[in-house]
Amino acid sequence: MIHQYDLVIVGAGLAGLRAAVETSNHAKVAVISKVFPTRSHSGAAQGGIAAALGNEEPDCIEWHIFDTVKGSDYLGDQDAIEMMIKEAPEVIYELEHMGVPFSRTKEGKIAQRQFGGHTKEVVDEKGNKKRVPVLRACYSADRTGHVILHTLYEQCVKNNVKFFSEFFITSLILENNICRGVIAINLKDTSIHIFHAKAVLFATGGYGRAYRVTSNAYANSGDGVAIAFRAGIPLEDMEFVQFHPTGLYPLGILVTEGARGEGGYLLNNNRERFMKNYAPTVMELAPRDMVTRSIQTEINEGRGINGKDYVHLDLTHLGREKLKERLPEITGFAKTYAGIDPAVEPIPILPTAHYSMGGIPTDLYGNVLANEKGKIIQGFFAAGECACISVHGANRLGTNSLLDAVVHGRRAGKTILKFLAEADFSPLPTDSGESDKEYINHLFSGTGTENADVIRKILKSEMTNKCGVFRNETDLKAALETVRTLKERFKNVNLSFKGKVFNTELMEIIETGNLLEFSEVIILGALERKECRGAHWRTDYEKRDDVNWLKHTFAFKTDKGIKLKYKPVTILNYQPQERKY
Ligand SMILES: Cc1cc2nc3c(=O)[nH]c(=O)nc-3n(C[C@H](O)[C@H](O)[C@H](O)COP(=O)(O)OP(=O)(O)OC[C@H]3O[C@@H](n4cnc5c(N)ncnc54)[C@H](O)[C@@H]3O)c2cc1C
């Protein structure tokens, strides 16, 4: 079946829906999502969305820009960061006017809380300038993503956006550098649908599901990233995967950084607030990469609780009332998944794969790049976690990614409207969808012997153990070898359930193929990057190396395997300095 739309948006998280709101009054827009829109991972975001509103104490755009640049370990492009941070207050007020129920101050303004790496400048008693945590994250209790996602969904329904829910896209139609649409499977009956479009926006979210311990939803299998890569589009900075310090032990379900923003402590087996040894000024509110490494070091050196692989997040001193008002969701999670009441007991936590800094490269306006020199693909756009602009560089600050998704969803929407004013439908290639059909028929009729579930489990363990918080050459080489072997085994994968209605095994097989596709890129990027920067920490190098590595990785899929090239970082006002907190 062929559908025709001016714009096809793949992904119904904050980035996709914000773009849909921007465009749907002016163009025929479809949104495709493999899960029901309000089940997109954006809805799980807890802690907040950053903007220097200064509602609770003085704050300014400049400080937010500097914090983001420093947080990125100087790998973020400063032109992109500046644009995003300057737009932040405007997009927050827009969300408020659309109906987002933000938590409030006593005066009725949007309330703000502290988050790691977000600081203000103060002068201490000796007259020295220093930076201390600032109230910058706008929030709605610990359900911030949920309320924004639902509000944007309501706006889309109001604007008559056409939703294709539980449609799973498998490939991009791209010919002669012009994007012409996407191919999708309708999960209800496994039929193949061709979406012919003047413009396609990928807002397919992150790739945290490549890891065994992760805070990410099942849907975050990086499909968009893998599909773009297979279509010949490079991937940028894939080696930068953020590990959140506080995943609930043992699964890694997220306990928001807002818990530390509200005053939570991290304690080791000696009941010591060990962050004083790693980041004495900001303690638990250091950026994520640092807190994660500190926790992992405590665990590795035997100071985990009772020698196990976790430490404690202690919220007991906050009191039951504050937990109920500010952190109701995570209080519930701790009870449901760990049988713990955070008002009386500390929560067992460990680092968990959380956010994908890398992804599909775009320019500042959402156009997807065909190479490291800035050539763009006609009619193809990306925004949100699947895109790399790069505003987060080597390490994202908490609450900057909901901001990224909303700002860049909106901006891509504006770019697309300009593009549509001039664009027409480019003809579909005659064989559109044929290879997708063939592959599915092959799976249904085939007699493969490999089990995708087994392959996926090996991959996830390998990524967590050998390409995780701490990395080294020996481990990375071994992981690369494993992934390459798994890719070979995957060619012989077996579909055991042959039903056509909601065949989730089929979907999981395709997702596994996607995980394998980009995991190789993550490992290769990590192996080649011989330095420590942000979330990429090599125990065999131990230092950032600006002379050789102040550059973005671009990975290309070629007939001879993956080729890496590099692109300079855009530096404006802030020259790289040593990163201390
Ligand atoms: C537990 C958790 C808490 C977080 N808390 C915060 C926070 O407090 N503050 C903050 O700033 N950030 C937070 N983040 C990060 C932030 O939520 C995400 O980066 C952001 O929401 C991503 O939005 P997105 O629109 O790019 O993608 P998502 O919301 O992940 O949406 C992806 C969409 O793509 C669709 N899709 C994917 N593949 C396919 C396919 N093959 N076919 C069809 N559709 C497809 C999915 O169905 C989904 O609709 C958190 C993340 C997690 C995991």
Side-chain angles (χ1 to χ4, degrees):
M1 189 171 179
I2 300 183
H3 310 260
Q4 236 189 18
Y5 286 88
D6 295 328
L7 167 63
V8 167
I9 297 174
V10 186
L14 256 53
L17 294 191
R18 186 61 191 82
V21 171
E22 197 64 33
T23 49
S24 46
N25 279 332
H26 311 280
K28 200 175 155 204
V29 178
V31 175
I32 302 177
S33 173
K34 67 178 175 180
V35 298
F36 189 79
T38 50
R39 286 190 56 226
S40 301
H41 189 61
S42 291
Q46 301 168 356
I49 174 165
L53 303 182
N55 280 356
E56 304 236 19
E57 58 177 336
D59 193 5
C60 69
I61 300 284
E62 211 49 49
W63 291 344
H64 191 183
I65 294 174
F66 173 71
D67 288 338
T68 305
V69 171
K70 183 177 172 188
S72 81
D73 220 347
Y74 295 89
L75 190 73
D77 285 321
Q78 296 185 16
D79 51 350
I81 292 175
E82 214 176 284
M83 264 178 89
M84 176 176 83
I85 306 295
K86 282 185 178 160
E87 277 174 38
E90 192 181 323
V91 301
I92 297 291
Y93 291 129
E94 254 177 25
L95 289 174
E96 184 191 33
H97 295 168
M98 284 179 199
V100 172
F102 285 112
S103 293
R104 298 282 158 178
T105 65
K106 283 198 193 74
E107 307 80 50
K109 293 180 184 169
I110 294 174
Q112 297 186 279
R113 61 164 51 127
Q114 297 180 345
F115 248 78
H118 290 279
T119 64
K120 62 182 175 188
E121 199 170 88
V122 292
V123 180
D124 67 14
E125 34 325 321
K126 291 185 193 135
N128 299 323
K129 280 186 188 165
K130 65 173 190 176
R131 299 187 78 99
V132 295
V134 69
L135 297 157
R136 185 178 288 152
C138 310
Y139 62 93
S140 184
D142 54 358
R143 303 187 180 107
T144 313
H146 177 89
V147 298
I148 301 177
L149 187 65
H150 278 258
T151 305
L152 289 176
Y153 182 63
E154 287 162 11
Q155 294 291 325
C156 286
V157 171
K158 188 181 87 183
N159 288 2
N160 292 318
V161 170
K162 174 74 184 158
F163 281 96
F164 290 87
S165 292
E166 294 168 331
F167 275 64
F168 184 101
I169 71 143
T170 48
S171 55
L172 193 61
I173 310 173
L174 187 72
E175 207 179 49
N176 299 333
N177 207 42
I178 302 173
C179 180
R180 297 144 199 250
V182 294
I183 309 292
I185 302 172
N186 181 356
L187 295 172
K188 287 183 198 79
D189 57 9
T190 313
S191 54
I192 296 271
H193 293 244
I194 298 172
F195 288 84
H196 188 197
K198 294 179 189 168
V200 170
L201 170 71
F202 267 20
T204 49
Y207 48 83
R209 275 275 148 192
Y211 287 81
R212 178 171 46 80
V213 180
T214 176
S215 68
N216 279 202
Y218 279 97
N220 289 11
S221 47
D223 300 342
V225 169
I227 289 168
F229 191 57
R230 254 183 234 123
I233 288 155
L235 297 179
E236 183 175 353
D237 289 343
M238 291 291 286
E239 62 270 34
F240 294 100
V241 178
Q242 176 166 80
F243 298 87
H244 194 290
T246 58
L248 193 61
Y249 177 81
L251 292 178
I253 296 169
L254 193 77
V255 179
T256 175
E257 189 170 311
R260 281 171 286 132
E262 296 294 346
Y265 300 151
L266 290 171
L267 303 174
N268 62 17
N269 201 33
N270 308 327
R271 290 201 58 76
E272 181 193 16
R273 273 181 80 186
F274 56 85
M275 282 310 299
K276 68 176 190 301
N277 305 324
Y278 302 93
T281 326
V282 289
M283 300 283 286
E284 281 87 356
L285 290 176
R288 289 188 176 160
D289 57 333
M290 289 190 170
V291 183
T292 291
R293 280 194 294 279
S294 310
I295 293 175
Q296 198 62 51
T297 304
E298 292 295 305
I299 293 172
N300 293 353
E301 293 180 358
R303 291 184 294 279
I305 307 299
N306 299 326
K308 297 216 176 109
D309 289 350
Y310 64 87
V311 296
H312 274 148
L313 171 66
D314 190 357
L315 307 178
T316 52
H317 54 288
L318 301 182
R320 195 174 291 285
E321 267 317 295
K322 190 164 182 180
L323 290 178
K324 202 167 137 198
E325 183 204 328
R326 303 279 179 92
L327 302 164
E329 283 286 304
I330 65 130
T331 304
F333 286 167
K335 282 188 184 149
T336 310
Y337 298 106
I340 275 177
D341 176 359
V344 291
E345 284 170 278
I347 309 174
I349 54 99
L350 83 172
T352 182
H354 182 61
Y355 185 81
S356 319
M357 266 80 71
I360 303 167
T362 69
D363 67 8
L364 300 185
Y365 306 94
N367 295 292
V368 170
L369 302 181
N371 63 25
E372 77 288 3
K373 301 211 166 66
K375 179 180 168 188
I376 64 169
I377 311 257
Q378 290 295 316
F380 188 34
F381 305 84
E385 196 170 333
C386 70
C388 181
I389 303 168
S390 129
V391 284
H392 309 300
N395 171 63
R396 165 178 81 84
L397 292 189
T399 68
N400 265 356
S401 63
L402 290 183
L403 180 66
D404 167 7
V406 178
V407 164
H408 294 109
R410 174 183 185 254
R411 202 181 308 147
K414 289 185 195 298
T415 309
I416 291 167
L417 285 180
K418 280 194 205 135
F419 173 82
L420 288 177
E422 317 257 299
D424 217 333
F425 285 100
S426 300
L428 281 175
T430 46
D431 61 352
S432 297
E434 285 309 314
S435 57
D436 305 76
K437 264 188 212 148
E438 259 169 46
Y439 183 59
I440 287 165
N441 288 341
H442 158 77
L443 286 175
F444 272 95
S445 62
T447 50
T449 52
E450 293 285 356
N451 182 330
D453 197 37
V454 171
I455 293 179
R456 198 167 53 241
K457 280 195 179 122
I458 301 175
L459 172 74
K460 283 159 169 274
S461 283
E462 198 74 355
M463 293 299 283
T464 298
N465 299 338
K466 302 204 175 116
C467 191
V469 177
F470 291 113
R471 302 163 171 185
N472 65 60
E473 184 171 322
T474 314
D475 280 354
L476 290 168
K477 280 189 169 157
L480 195 59
E481 196 56 41
T482 308
V483 170
R484 288 178 176 160
T485 312
L486 291 176
K487 279 178 114 172
E488 282 306 308
R489 284 176 60 181
F490 182 75
K491 288 181 184 158
N492 192 24
V493 73
N494 181 48
L495 176 72
S496 58
F497 176 66
K498 303 287 195 306
K500 294 274 168 106
V501 179
F502 284 104
N503 191 331
T504 49
E505 188 190 351
L506 173 71
M507 188 174 85
E508 283 170 13
I509 288 180
I510 300 173
E511 286 174 345
T512 304
N514 292 339
L515 296 176
L516 288 166
E517 185 81 53
F518 67 76
S519 291
E520 189 182 356
V521 184
I522 298 179
I523 301 168
L524 199 64
L527 183 62
E528 286 305 313
R529 186 173 280 276
K530 297 180 171 57
E531 64 157 355
C532 296
R533 188 182 293 274
H536 170 68
W537 208 262
R538 290 280 299 254
T539 51
D540 41 357
Y541 289 92
E542 287 187 343
K543 258 192 148 167
R544 198 175 76 197
D545 175 0
D546 289 333
V547 176
N548 295 304
W549 289 103
L550 185 59
K551 55 190 181 185
H552 298 289
T553 308
F554 268 61
F556 295 80
K557 189 176 168 81
T558 75
D559 295 341
K560 295 194 186 101
I562 299 167
K563 287 274 162 302
L564 301 184
K565 293 187 178 173
Y566 294 92
K567 179 186 163 192
V569 175
T570 307
I571 307 276
L572 299 178
N573 294 334
Y574 301 105
Q575 288 303 319
Q577 304 166 7
E578 197 192 343
R579 203 164 145 248
K580 277 198 204 142
Y581 288 90

